């Protein structure tokens, strides 16, 4: 199947009610982070099913999907890339990684980032320099900054925390709420594996953190410790 036919198949699964809800939920209004994005109302289970069915699609066709104005089509493209990455050798994985980074302006939603960055960017950099993550974290693009921190979830899962903490420092004063949430989430993931590592980081930096970032980071803390951080009693 090519990109045109798969797009047509996705449109046939669309639901106007779901699409209208998604337009609101993903903040597509003027001045909002998803301004101008288009939804057709296809749910994730259907997208995952199609991505697995068409995981052998040529990457030239996947690239066309990724550049679609329709959010769910871009999501399907990313899910196909993730499927291909998991089943490929290192050379093909490098091609997928390069395609991903060359098209980050189309990975322009928090859900698009969160379904892909830690499954493509993280694994590809696992045995390599992590310098590309620092460059992404310093980008003017909200989505590239989110890609950077979410990519480190791959490292966190094997108890490598340094890159997450380094990027968290870079992003401490980020102006975007979506970055505050992402950094707080990754710090919370660190704390699931090693609570003391997270606590040590927070003790040094929590007073400079945006409130949302801190709340996400300490969400699973015992209530007394959570209140100590919130009320700056540490």
């Amino acid at each position: 199947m090519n990109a045109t036919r798969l797009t047509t198949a996705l449109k046939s699964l669309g639901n106007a009610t779901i699409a209208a809800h998604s337009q609101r939920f993903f903040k597509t209004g003027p001045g909002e982070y998803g301004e101008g994005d288009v939804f057709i109302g296809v749910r994730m289970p259907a997208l995952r099913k199609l991505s697995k069915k068409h995981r052998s699609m040529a990457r030239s066709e996947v690239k066309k999907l990724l550049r679609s104005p329709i959010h769910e089509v871009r999501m399907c493209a990313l899910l196909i890339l993730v499927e291909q990455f998991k089943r490929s050798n290192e050379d093909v994985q490098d091609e997928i990684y390069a395609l991903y980074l060359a098209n980050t302006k189309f990975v322009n939603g928090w859900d698009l980032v969160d379904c892909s960055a830690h499954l493509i960017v993280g694994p590809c950099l696992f045995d390599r320099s992590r310098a590309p993550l620092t460059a992404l974290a310093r980008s003017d693009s909200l989505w590239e900054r989110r890609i950077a921190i979410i990519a480190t979830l791959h490292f966190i899962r094997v108890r490598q925390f340094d890159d997450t903490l380094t990027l968290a420092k870079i992003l401490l004063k980020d102006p975007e709420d979506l970055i505050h949430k992402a950094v707080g989430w990754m710090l919370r993931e660190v704390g699931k594996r090693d609570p003391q590592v997270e606590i040590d980081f927070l003790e040094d930096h929590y007073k400079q953190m945006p409130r949302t970032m801190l709340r996400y980071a300490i969400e699973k803390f015992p209530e007394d410790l959570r209140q100590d951080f919130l009320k700056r009693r540490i």
Side-chain angles (χ1 to χ4, degrees):
M1 182 176 284
N2 61 26
T4 300
R5 290 178 62 191
L6 184 51
T7 298
T8 300
L10 284 166
K11 287 180 178 178
S12 72
L13 298 173
N15 179 289
T17 301
I18 297 171
H21 174 267
S22 295
Q23 296 281 164
R24 296 189 298 272
F25 183 75
F26 287 97
K27 308 294 185 184
T28 62
E32 296 180 311
Y33 65 76
E35 180 177 358
D37 206 352
V38 176
F39 287 81
I40 55 175
V42 183
R43 294 196 183 278
M44 280 298 291
L47 292 171
R48 292 191 182 281
K49 184 176 180 179
L50 278 172
S51 69
K52 290 178 180 178
K53 181 178 180 180
H54 300 291
R55 64 191 180 208
S56 61
M57 178 180 282
R59 272 183 297 286
S60 59
E61 294 297 309
V62 181
K63 181 178 177 180
K64 293 176 184 178
L65 295 176
L66 185 55
R67 295 184 170 200
S68 170
I70 299 171
H71 190 98
E72 292 95 336
V73 176
R74 300 198 305 280
M75 174 65 81
C76 193
L78 291 167
L79 294 174
I80 289 172
L81 290 177
V82 168
E83 288 292 324
Q84 292 182 350
F85 190 95
K86 290 190 296 186
R87 291 166 171 79
S88 299
N89 60 34
E90 186 173 327
D91 289 341
V92 175
Q93 288 180 341
D94 286 348
E95 292 175 11
I96 294 170
Y97 168 78
L99 173 63
Y100 188 92
L101 287 192
N103 290 276
T104 53
K105 69 178 180 179
F106 303 105
V107 189
N108 56 346
W110 59 262
D111 58 327
L112 301 177
V113 172
D114 295 359
C115 81
S116 59
H118 66 296
L119 299 173
I120 294 176
V121 179
C124 203
L125 296 180
F126 185 70
D127 293 319
R128 303 179 182 184
S129 167
R130 310 284 170 82
L133 295 181
T134 302
L136 289 169
R138 297 188 185 280
S139 169
D140 290 336
S141 164
L142 157 64
W143 307 117
E144 289 190 348
R145 300 198 302 277
R146 189 166 176 115
I147 286 169
I149 191 67
I150 297 299
T152 69
L153 180 57
H154 180 77
F155 311 145
I156 293 170
R157 287 174 171 171
V158 292
R159 300 183 64 82
Q160 292 186 13
F161 308 133
D162 288 351
D163 293 284
T164 304
L165 302 181
T166 296
L167 297 186
K169 290 178 188 177
I170 293 172
L171 297 169
L172 272 179
K173 296 183 179 180
D174 196 279
E176 296 289 348
D177 188 62
L178 285 176
I179 300 300
H180 304 167
K181 292 176 180 178
V183 173
W185 172 22
M186 291 303 103
L187 290 173
R188 187 171 73 239
E189 291 294 325
V190 169
K192 288 181 182 178
R193 280 83 179 173
D194 192 325
Q196 194 58 52
V197 169
E198 182 187 5
I199 288 171
D200 289 346
F201 180 87
L202 291 176
E203 286 179 346
D204 289 339
H205 301 289
Y206 81 99
K207 290 182 179 179
Q208 291 78 48
M209 279 185 178
R211 195 71 165 178
T212 297
M213 187 185 296
L214 178 60
R215 285 187 177 278
Y216 268 62
I218 64 176
E219 186 177 281
K220 301 298 183 181
F221 279 16
E223 184 59 21
D224 56 345
L225 181 58
R226 200 175 73 85
Q227 288 300 322
D228 283 344
F229 275 108
L230 288 173
K231 296 177 180 179
R232 299 179 180 271
R233 295 194 295 236
I234 300 296

